Amino acid sequence: MFLPLHDGKPVKTIHLQWVTLSIIGLNVLVYLAVNVIGVAGADKLEFAARAFGHVPSVSNDLKVLPEPYRVIPDHLYVLSTLTSAFLHADFFHLLGNMLFIWVFGDNVEDALGHIKFALFYILSAFAAASFHAFVFSTSDSPLIGASGAAAGIVGAYLMLHPKMQIWILFLSRIPLRLPAWTVLGGWVGFQVFMFVVDTDGQISWAAHVGGAAAGVLLVLVLRRHGVPLFDREIVVPDAVELTDRPSLPPNVKPPRNPWGRNASR
């Protein structure tokens, strides 16, 4: 549909978005370890997807994984909602998700703080995988990818900065600059539409919808005190200078009366 390129929204309360950068770095490292390093990349991806992806039928206690894939203990299988978010099928799958996290993650991290943003990301991934497992409860296909957690970031950003102008690459070819409420609002609406009409596709629209809904709700309770929603900051123009106390007016002498005795000749 589109790829985000830049939003131009500076951070205010943090010096570096180190949680966002750590999430991207960890995703890239896992991708290299699973998809690139070694000669049996396809086999390694299959094993990683089965062992660390989120399988709905296993999550709902309908089946158990075969022994070679039972890396996560059964009583801790909920951890697969997070581990699945660091696996990607190919480079373009990784690139798309990382672009969303890179462009929008720093501002959400700025609004929440580092620790709360890390918790936010975990809960968004959990909500995305859990909703997918609820919708497709008997599926044996593993869910992988960071798109559900990235959708949570999109939902939160839409609540915080709907008026921000965003540069995007529409249809992977056309650069456009549009307000976030049109771009991201349209993206969320498209996910909901596809969730309703496409029930057999390879993309988990349910995970996107679950993640975006979680992001909208979580930002309401996790944002810093005083952080406004919907771009409601009070902006003071650069030409206006505020001081603690007003300066006294200068002593102004009245102009001379040209018809009086002090008039110039």
Side-chain angles (χ1 to χ4, degrees):
M1 188 177 180
F2 75 91
L3 290 175
L5 299 177
H6 181 62
D7 71 331
K9 178 69 176 178
V11 295
K12 294 183 177 180
T13 60
I14 60 175
H15 297 292
L16 181 68
Q17 62 275 30
W18 61 265
V19 176
T20 299
L21 296 175
S22 298
I23 290 170
I24 294 174
L26 185 56
N27 271 280
V28 172
L29 289 176
V30 171
Y31 174 80
L32 293 176
V34 173
N35 300 62
V36 178
I37 299 175
V39 295
D43 295 337
K44 289 170 64 177
L45 177 60
E46 174 68 20
F47 176 83
R50 291 286 177 184
F52 299 102
H54 190 70
V55 181
S57 61
V58 177
S59 175
N60 292 313
D61 295 325
L62 301 177
K63 294 182 181 180
V64 295
L65 288 173
E67 189 58 40
Y69 304 113
R70 297 180 70 180
V71 178
I72 301 176
D74 293 342
H75 65 285
L76 295 177
Y77 194 73
V78 67
L79 294 177
S80 66
T81 60
L82 181 60
T83 58
S84 64
F86 290 92
L87 296 169
H88 292 87
D90 54 51
F91 175 74
F92 292 103
H93 188 201
L94 172 73
L95 176 63
N97 287 335
M98 294 307 101
L99 276 174
F100 274 84
I101 295 173
W102 166 256
V103 174
F104 306 118
D106 58 340
N107 297 120
V108 179
E109 183 174 350
D110 187 42
L112 273 59
H114 301 305
I115 303 302
K116 287 185 179 180
F117 179 69
L119 176 62
F120 170 92
Y121 191 84
I122 293 171
L123 293 177
S124 294
F126 170 79
S130 297
F131 188 62
H132 171 83
F134 172 77
V135 175
F136 304 101
S137 59
T138 62
S139 174
D140 298 330
S141 299
L143 174 71
I144 62 172
S147 55
I153 293 176
V154 168
Y157 189 97
L158 191 57
M159 294 290 289
L160 293 167
H161 308 299
K163 300 177 184 177
M164 181 55 55
Q165 298 288 319
I166 300 173
W167 278 103
I168 66 168
L169 200 59
F170 183 63
L171 299 178
S172 301
R173 289 178 177 84
I174 308 171
L176 296 174
R177 187 168 183 257
L178 300 169
W181 70 267
T182 61
V183 178
L184 301 185
W187 184 86
V188 171
F190 180 75
Q191 310 310 303
V192 174
F193 173 77
M194 293 302 295
F195 167 65
V196 174
V197 301
D198 182 17
T199 59
D200 298 322
Q202 295 297 315
I203 298 175
S204 177
W205 308 106
H208 297 178
V209 172
V216 168
L217 296 176
L218 287 170
V219 74
L220 298 177
V221 297
L222 292 181
R223 72 186 193 277
R224 297 176 188 267
H225 177 72
V227 172
L229 299 174
F230 309 118
D231 288 319
R232 289 177 176 169
E233 293 99 338
I234 298 176
V235 180
V236 179
D238 293 338
V240 176
E241 180 180 355
L242 301 179
T243 58
D244 294 334
R245 61 179 183 176
S247 59
L248 296 177
N251 295 325
V252 179
K253 295 181 180 181
R256 291 181 178 182
N257 182 359
W259 301 107
R261 64 179 182 176
N262 292 329
S264 300
R265 300 189 184 276

